[in-house]
Amino acid sequence: MTTLAEVARKAGVTAATVSNVLRERGKVGGETRERVLAAVRELGYRPNLTARALAEGQPQTVALMVSSIANPFYPAFALAVERAVRKLGYFLIVCNTNDDPEQERAYLDAIAGSLARGVLVMNADFVQIDELVKLRERGVPVVLCMWEKPDQPPPLPSVAVDFFRAGMIAAEHLIKLGHRRIGVVMGSELSGNHIWRYRGFLEGLKRAGLELPEGHTVFGHDTIDAGRNAGHALLAAVPDLTAVFASNDLPALGVLQAAAEVGLDVPGDLSVIGITDIALAHQVRPALTTVAVPIDESAELAVELITQMIRETGAPGGQPPLREASAPRLVVRASTGRASKAATGGK
C-alpha cells in the first residue's frame, strides 16, 4: 500500500504539503498542488481513514445504529442518511445490533468518539436510553432517530415522527370505509416501541365512539412471518373481522399472506392497513394501503442535528433539541375497501 511519505518523495514535497493538498487546506501553490495530485494518481494512493481518525481523534465518519438490517425500512433510512453525510464530507458506518442490548453496548464502546464523530441511533426496543445519555455526557454527539411521540421528548437530542397521529389516521381511514369489526396486529409487545401507534389507533376509534374489544389485538414482532402468524391467530379467534390494522408494514404484509391462506379476498372480505410505506408496500399484490412516514426528511434532519452537535464543543447543556418531521400521510392502495353491507348492518 502506497504511503503518504512515498507520495511526498515522488512529488518532491513534504508529507505535510501532501496532507494539505488532499484536505484542501493551507496555502499551496497551483503548480505544487498539480504535482502532488499527479503523484497521488500515479501511485494509486488512498488515505488510511482509520489511522487518521485514531491519530487526530477526528474521524470523518458518522455511525448509524439499527436493530435489524433485514427490515427494509432500515436500509432505506440508511441510504438517505448516507446521501446526506456524503454531502458534508463524511462517510457512514452502519451498525446492526440484532435487537441485542449487549451488541449495542459493544458497538458504542468500539466506535463512539474514536471511529465515528457522532452516532445516530434508530429508536427501537433494544435501545438503552441511559447508556446513550452517559455517552452524550462524555461529549460524544448522539441523536435518537424516529422518536414516536414529539410532545414527550426523550432526554437526548432527537428527530421525531408523530406515530400517534399515524395510528389515528389508520383508524380514521377504516372507520370512513364503514369498518366496525376491526382487529390489530402489533409489531411489538404492548410495552414496546410501537405503543404510540397503538394508542393513536385506539384514540381514533374512541373519537368515533368505538372501542377495540378484548381479544382483538395480537402482539408480536416486526416481521412478515410474525405478522402472518398473528394474522392466522386473530382470524381464527375473531373470524368475522372486516379489517386489520398492523402497526408496521412488515406485519401487515404477513396479514395479507394469512388472509390469502384462509381464502379471504382482500379487500372484499378483509381490509388491511399498515404504517411506514416501505418499498414492498407498493410492490406486493394487492398493494398495501399504509400511513407513510417521512423517511428522507427524517434522515436529513438527523444529519443536520448531528453535524450541528459535532461543530459544538464542551459538555452539553440545557434541554436536548428535538426536530419534528412532517406529519404522516395516508397512502390508499388496493388492500382497503368499503366494508360489505352485511358487515355494516345493510347501510
Side-chain angles (χ1 to χ4, degrees):
M1 180 179 293
T2 303
T3 66
L4 191 75
E6 289 171 333
V7 174
R9 285 196 295 271
K10 179 71 175 178
V13 299
T14 66
T17 298
V18 175
S19 179
N20 286 339
V21 169
L22 295 177
R23 300 185 196 187
E24 298 183 352
R25 68 184 188 187
K27 295 182 179 180
V28 181
E31 182 182 344
T32 302
R33 181 180 301 277
E34 287 303 319
R35 196 162 68 247
V36 169
L37 293 177
V40 167
R41 290 191 295 269
E42 183 177 340
L43 297 177
Y45 174 72
R46 294 290 183 272
N48 188 327
L49 298 179
T50 301
R52 179 188 296 178
L54 293 174
E56 299 181 354
Q58 293 186 334
Q60 290 301 112
T61 54
V62 171
L64 171 64
M65 192 170 299
V66 303
S67 61
S68 174
I69 204 68
N71 184 328
F73 173 79
Y74 294 118
F77 189 86
L79 180 60
V81 170
E82 195 270 344
R83 285 196 297 259
V85 299
R86 288 299 301 129
K87 291 177 183 177
L88 301 173
Y90 289 96
F91 295 91
L92 182 67
I93 301 174
V94 178
C95 308
N96 183 54
T97 68
N98 290 315
D99 290 313
D100 184 347
E102 291 303 317
Q103 197 158 322
E104 175 199 22
R105 189 175 294 109
Y107 267 126
L108 292 176
D109 290 343
I111 66 174
S114 56
L115 296 181
R117 292 285 293 278
V119 184
L120 304 173
V121 181
M122 295 300 294
N123 187 33
D125 291 343
F126 76 92
V127 171
Q128 303 168 90
I129 298 293
D130 291 345
E131 291 294 325
L132 298 178
V133 170
K134 292 177 184 176
L135 191 66
R136 180 174 182 251
E137 290 173 346
R138 296 205 307 267
V140 178
V142 179
V143 171
L144 188 61
C145 305
M146 306 299 281
W147 180 253
E148 304 215 353
K149 197 67 168 64
D151 61 353
Q152 295 187 22
L156 286 166
S158 56
V159 172
V161 173
D162 193 348
F163 279 92
F164 183 89
R165 178 60 188 149
M168 287 187 60
I169 290 171
E172 291 165 356
H173 176 62
L174 294 180
I175 292 167
K176 185 177 180 180
L177 291 173
H179 295 283
R180 298 296 181 268
R181 295 199 289 273
I182 303 171
V184 175
V185 168
M186 289 290 293
S188 75
E189 298 299 329
L190 179 58
S191 59
N193 189 45
H194 291 184
I195 182 60
W196 292 113
R197 314 172 192 204
Y198 184 55
R199 293 179 180 176
F201 188 79
L202 296 181
E203 179 64 21
L205 296 181
K206 180 180 178 181
R207 293 187 182 187
L210 302 174
E211 291 185 358
L212 191 68
E214 185 177 351
H216 280 227
T217 303
V218 177
F219 296 92
H221 301 285
D222 190 13
T223 66
I224 292 176
D225 286 344
R228 174 180 172 273
N229 294 337
H232 275 293
L234 186 60
L235 293 170
V238 194
D240 63 345
L241 291 178
T242 66
V244 173
F245 161 65
S247 64
N248 223 12
D249 284 349
L250 287 183
L253 297 177
V255 174
L256 291 180
Q257 289 185 350
E261 289 165 359
V262 298
L264 293 178
D265 175 69
V266 176
D269 300 319
L270 185 74
S271 286
V272 180
I273 186 171
I275 288 181
T276 304
D277 197 24
I278 59 175
L280 280 173
H282 72 265
Q283 294 168 345
V284 297
R285 292 295 178 268
L288 180 68
T289 293
T290 187
V291 182
V293 297
I295 295 175
D296 288 356
E297 180 190 353
S298 298
E300 290 169 2
L301 288 173
V303 171
E304 288 177 8
L305 189 52
I306 199 76
T307 51
Q308 174 188 326
M309 296 169 62
I310 289 171
R311 289 193 298 266
E312 295 172 352
T313 57
Q319 178 66 30
L322 180 144
R323 307 278 181 85
E324 183 175 355
S326 300
R329 59 182 179 85
L330 179 66
V331 179
V332 180
R333 298 196 179 101
S335 70
T336 54
R338 295 203 62 80
S340 67
K341 288 186 178 181
T344 58
K347 297 181 181 179

